[in-house]
Amino acid sequence: MGNNAGINLTSGSNNISVGNQSGYSSNNSSDNINIGSQAGYNMQVDYGINIGSQAGYNNHTGTHNLNIGYQTGHNATTSNNTINIGYLAGYNDTAGENINIGNSAGYNNYNPSITYGQNNINVGNFAGQLNTTGYNNVNIGYNAGKN
């Protein structure tokens, strides 16, 4: 429901897309919920929940993610089993298996090797931001664990 929502979905099933261009290029994706303008826009995975403008915008191979808030999980192309709640939480978090709650929590947690930056809990504004090598950390509070 919405202008061009799910328009390019050709073989997926059990998807809900509500909002302008939500689920727009979600080809071959199943069991996803996208609510908000461009939520799940270029999502190519299964079992995701994206609520908010551009939440989960560019997730290509990661599954089982929850993104709530403006651009949460945006460009988290390979992130799996991640929870992002708050403005820009988990933006560009490609490591995955993280919990990011707060404004920019887990922002740019990027590592091309995908062997670091995983299994972190970041709660608070900017907690765990720019973490590219730390894993198995708990960062609670403003700027906690920020690199």
Side-chain angles (χ1 to χ4, degrees):
M1 183 180 338
N3 183 44
N4 292 324
I7 195 167
N8 291 316
L9 182 66
T10 58
S11 62
S13 61
N14 304 318
N15 293 297
I16 298 171
S17 293
V18 179
N20 180 50
Q21 295 181 330
S22 64
Y24 182 84
S25 293
S26 298
N27 194 14
N28 302 319
S29 296
S30 297
D31 302 303
N32 294 300
I33 299 172
N34 300 304
I35 300 173
S37 179
Q38 295 184 329
Y41 181 88
N42 196 25
M43 191 171 169
Q44 306 295 316
V45 298
D46 300 330
Y47 312 111
I49 299 173
N50 302 298
I51 301 172
S53 182
Q54 295 185 347
Y57 183 89
N58 204 27
N59 191 338
H60 289 275
T61 59
T63 61
H64 302 99
N65 294 307
L66 171 65
N67 298 300
I68 300 174
Y70 176 75
Q71 291 189 345
T72 56
H74 188 287
N75 215 33
T77 55
T78 56
S79 184
N80 289 307
N81 307 314
T82 296
I83 297 171
N84 298 306
I85 300 173
Y87 177 81
L88 299 175
Y91 186 104
N92 206 31
D93 177 357
T94 60
E97 299 179 2
N98 292 307
I99 297 172
N100 302 303
I101 301 173
N103 177 11
S104 298
Y107 183 99
N108 215 25
N109 185 7
Y110 170 78
N111 193 316
S113 69
I114 313 299
T115 57
Y116 297 105
Q118 295 178 315
N119 304 316
N120 294 300
I121 298 172
N122 302 304
V123 179
N125 291 344
F126 310 103
Q129 187 181 46
L130 305 174
N131 176 21
T132 58
T133 58
Y135 55 96
N136 300 326
N137 295 300
V138 176
N139 301 304
I140 299 175
Y142 179 80
N143 279 338
K146 182 178 176 181
N147 289 349

